[in-house]
Amino acid sequence: MNIVDPNSAIASIDWNDGSLRGPGIQQSEKTLGQLQAVFKDGEAFAAMDRTQVVYRVQWLSAEAADREGALLWGNTTLEPGKVGDEYFMTHGHFHLKRDRSEFYATVQGEGMLVLMDENREGRVEKMKAGSLHYINGNVAHRVVNTGPSQLRFVACWPADAGHDYGTIAEEGFSLRVVSQNGAPVVLRSNR
Ligand SMILES: [Fe+2]
């Protein structure tokens, strides 16, 4: 048996875009129609193609995903675009296990990481190629693409963190990122 196995890597990452290649990689996509609740401008939304893909996710589980201590690795590709004056964004979530934290790292594009704690205190971090972001447990997170091209980022998080989309569906985030005179502006929002 070879102690050094040249083919032992679990997968390969193309660092040009963060994409994963290898066996067992899972994928999903979100269309605009699945994100209706997150955008403010219902009239603008109604005029758009609901079938267009807003973002795609790839992720890789290296072991039983429900084992406490297991990690997941993934990446997201968020398309550029707007609904009215509001930029395309991910659904956003708290973790079901609130104390589970997460890393995001931007590969390409420009955007904002919108963060909100359970008291609805919000803030944003600017995302650009090379920016590394640490998301504490108990903090909801959403990514907004404020640039003219795809925003791509990689992530690493505890496999048992889970996703609580329901709280965001009911209460929304306390901040929205909109385009004003061609530049992104962060506004307070009651949902
Ligand atoms: Fe997360």
Side-chain angles (χ1 to χ4, degrees):
M1 182 183 132
N2 264 342
I3 294 175
V4 178
D5 178 353
N7 300 311
S8 59
I10 184 170
S12 68
I13 299 170
D14 180 345
W15 284 115
N16 290 306
D17 60 12
S19 63
L20 281 169
R21 281 180 194 76
I25 291 162
Q26 303 185 72
Q27 313 204 35
S28 71
E29 60 182 36
K30 285 269 190 202
T31 61
L32 188 61
Q34 293 173 291
L35 294 164
Q36 179 162 11
V38 308
F39 293 102
K40 172 189 56 164
D41 188 340
E43 203 171 314
F45 185 93
M48 296 180 70
D49 174 8
R50 297 172 64 93
T51 67
Q52 69 177 293
V53 174
V54 177
Y55 60 95
R56 292 183 172 82
V57 180
Q58 285 187 310
W59 71 98
L60 179 59
S61 174
E63 56 174 315
D66 58 353
R67 188 187 72 77
E68 187 172 331
L71 294 171
L72 296 175
W73 179 271
N75 65 69
T76 299
T77 301
L78 177 56
E79 298 295 328
K82 284 182 287 194
V83 176
D85 61 4
E86 192 168 24
Y87 295 101
F88 278 8
M89 59 181 133
T90 61
H91 193 290
H93 57 265
F94 284 98
H95 290 158
L96 277 172
K97 290 195 175 174
R98 286 289 198 268
D99 65 349
R100 299 310 200 243
S101 302
E102 182 165 9
F103 275 118
Y104 279 1
T106 314
V107 178
Q108 62 177 232
E110 306 161 33
M112 291 194 188
L113 172 59
V114 180
L115 302 165
M116 179 182 74
D117 70 18
E118 291 188 287
N119 298 317
R120 297 186 60 75
E121 283 296 316
R123 64 186 186 86
V124 304
E125 294 184 4
K126 283 196 173 181
M127 298 177 73
K128 60 180 184 178
S131 66
L132 177 63
H133 306 272
Y134 187 73
I135 302 160
N136 282 292
N138 305 302
V139 175
H141 35 293
R142 159 182 284 168
V143 172
V144 181
N145 185 347
T146 59
S149 57
Q150 289 181 335
L151 174 61
R152 291 174 172 258
F153 60 97
V154 296
C156 185
W157 69 102
D160 66 353
H163 296 91
D164 169 12
Y165 295 110
T167 302
I168 298 304
E170 282 171 28
E171 301 173 9
F173 274 73
S174 55
L175 298 173
R176 287 186 180 274
V177 186
V178 301
S179 171
Q180 287 184 0
N181 304 315
V185 173
V186 182
L187 304 177
R188 294 198 184 282
S189 173
N190 54 12
R191 70 150 284 120

